[in-house]
Amino acid sequence: MSNENKAEQQINTYIRQYRYKIGQQSQKMQSIPRVAIVTGANGDIGLETARAIGRAGFITILACRNLKRGHRALRELQDTTGLDSFVLMELDLSSFMSIERFVSDFLKAHTQLNLLVCNAGTAFSHYDTTYDGLESQFGTNYVGHYLLINKLLPLMKQSLCPRITIASSIAACMVNQIDYSRVTDVWRFNRFINYSTSKLALLTYSNALARQLENTDITVNAFHPGLVQTSLYRNMAFSMLPGIHEFRNWLWLDQKKGSVTSIYLALSTDLEGKTGGYYAREQPTAVHPDSMLVNVQDRLCKFTEVLVASNTHAPSLLDSINGPRSE
């Protein structure tokens, strides 16, 4: 069996398992619509994850920054699945105002949120800032999802079997710790280190959130999708080299194979009640040791709250969080 067929078979298994579980519930429980949000669902892993979630029976919100690509993804999903349960909504994670508007519109339309897939991101871009003045990779990949999650948590706490999945990366292990000066000081910016920092922040926050929500029904797990042929690497110089696409096709995973772990975390019945994990290739995997430290988690959350409240990337922000670091 080819790897592509194996990936399709795995995805179909998770969909069947989830639908079977729902089918075993009472008619009243079955009648409650399941709702999911997938950020960055206009392409790549997000698109494949949204496709599987929709086939599993969810009303699936495609939360996309680029509406032109979003409409193209919506048409493809409707055409390939025959379902009308996909809904496109605009969400730009680099804008606090866009996040506020998205959450407000979503809450007006839905009384359940059973699954939140935090997939969107940007990588290896040159220095830029978000609409609110944050370094763009940290601001979009991490802070945007941090805000989105926190604004949706009240509804998720009232929803059936809620799950949050967060796309981190093995790149998180390319840095020893979160260096906050990389986020606040433009002169210390390095597009590779800053990307890795944003992914370590996501992983650390995933563990912090799982700890904070341990007395609720919400589970939180993070994952590394693998090296996947996605548009995420469009800012890398090697993407312009002759023959690089053929090399990537041979070495890297395609979008469907790269989406399997994301779909596993979203749908697998094996993960019911399991939280605070980090997965790769559908298996628990080694995690960055810093991300497990409670004091590191608390420091990150405090920094983020100050960052959001001030809407700035001024270096003086560090004064509010600096203190003795426990080993």
Side-chain angles (χ1 to χ4, degrees):
M1 181 185 299
S2 70
N3 286 335
E4 183 174 356
N5 289 338
K6 183 179 180 181
E8 185 70 43
Q9 186 180 70
Q10 289 170 301
I11 291 169
N12 289 336
T13 298
Y14 298 138
I15 293 171
R16 284 195 302 269
Q17 285 178 347
Y18 185 84
R19 294 185 69 92
Y20 177 80
K21 182 191 76 170
I22 298 300
Q24 297 302 300
Q25 297 177 350
S26 67
Q27 287 294 324
K28 181 178 179 181
M29 293 290 284
Q30 290 185 46
S31 68
I32 300 173
R34 265 66 173 181
V35 183
I37 295 172
V38 182
T39 67
N42 57 277
D44 303 328
I45 295 171
L47 179 65
E48 294 301 330
T49 301
R51 191 193 317 275
I53 290 169
R55 289 175 57 206
F58 284 84
I59 297 170
T60 307
I61 310 300
L62 314 179
C64 302
R65 177 185 61 84
N66 187 315
L67 288 181
K68 182 178 179 180
R69 293 177 182 172
H71 279 294
R72 188 161 59 233
L74 178 63
R75 288 193 297 271
E76 180 189 335
L77 290 171
Q78 290 172 336
D79 291 345
T80 57
T81 65
L83 299 170
D84 60 0
S85 55
F86 298 99
V87 179
L88 175 63
M89 293 181 66
E90 184 176 11
L91 173 64
D92 186 346
L93 289 165
S94 68
S95 165
F96 295 170
M97 184 179 296
S98 177
I99 296 168
E100 290 273 7
R101 184 168 54 243
F102 172 86
V103 171
S104 176
D105 291 345
F106 178 84
L107 294 178
K108 290 174 184 175
H110 301 281
T111 58
Q112 289 275 310
L113 177 56
N114 313 93
L115 177 59
L116 175 56
V117 179
C118 299
N119 164 80
T122 184
F124 312 122
S125 56
H126 293 287
Y127 185 81
D128 198 0
T129 60
T130 67
Y131 289 98
D132 303 284
L134 314 182
E135 188 277 309
S136 61
Q137 293 185 106
F138 192 84
T140 302
N141 298 350
Y142 164 64
V143 178
H145 279 119
Y146 174 97
L147 268 180
L148 180 67
I149 291 169
N150 277 276
K151 291 179 181 299
L152 291 170
L153 276 180
L155 178 59
M156 295 198 78
K157 289 177 180 178
Q158 302 170 19
S159 301
L160 297 172
C161 305
R163 294 187 185 188
I164 299 173
T165 71
I166 297 176
S168 181
S169 169
I170 196 173
C173 293
M174 293 177 65
V175 291
N176 292 327
Q177 63 188 53
I178 298 173
D179 182 349
Y180 292 98
S181 67
R182 295 276 184 186
V183 178
T184 60
D185 186 354
V186 60
W187 300 108
R188 299 210 65 220
F189 173 81
N190 176 292
R191 57 180 174 153
F192 303 104
I193 294 175
N194 279 62
Y195 173 72
S196 299
T197 298
S198 75
K199 289 300 180 178
L200 178 54
L202 279 167
L203 182 56
T204 303
Y205 180 58
S206 177
N207 291 327
L209 193 60
R211 177 170 57 87
Q212 294 164 15
L213 297 172
E214 61 185 356
N215 293 321
T216 73
D217 293 332
I218 302 175
T219 61
V220 187
N221 291 290
F223 67 97
H224 165 59
L227 282 175
V228 185
Q229 302 168 33
T230 73
S231 57
L232 200 64
Y233 300 97
R234 61 186 177 274
N235 295 314
M236 297 287 284
F238 69 71
S239 65
M240 304 301 293
L241 294 174
I244 191 63
H245 295 292
E246 290 76 10
F247 177 73
R248 284 172 56 181
N249 290 342
W250 170 70
L251 183 64
W252 291 10
L253 303 173
D254 64 24
Q255 285 90 346
K256 188 173 291 293
K257 287 180 278 190
S259 69
V260 173
T261 300
S262 174
I263 295 166
Y264 169 71
L265 292 187
L267 299 178
S268 176
T269 55
D270 294 340
L271 290 176
E272 289 183 8
K274 294 183 179 179
T275 191
Y278 180 50
Y279 293 80
R281 297 183 181 273
E282 305 153 82
Q283 298 291 327
T285 191
V287 68
H288 193 297
D290 243 34
S291 70
M292 301 297 293
L293 299 177
V294 171
N295 67 300
V296 171
Q297 296 169 10
D298 291 345
R299 187 169 190 249
L300 173 64
C301 291
K302 182 178 179 181
F303 174 79
T304 310
E305 289 166 5
V306 174
L307 198 65
V308 170
S310 63
N311 285 11
T312 179
H313 59 319
S316 60
L317 281 175
L318 292 181
D319 296 339
S320 67
I321 62 162
N322 280 335
R325 175 184 165 83
S326 299
E327 298 300 330

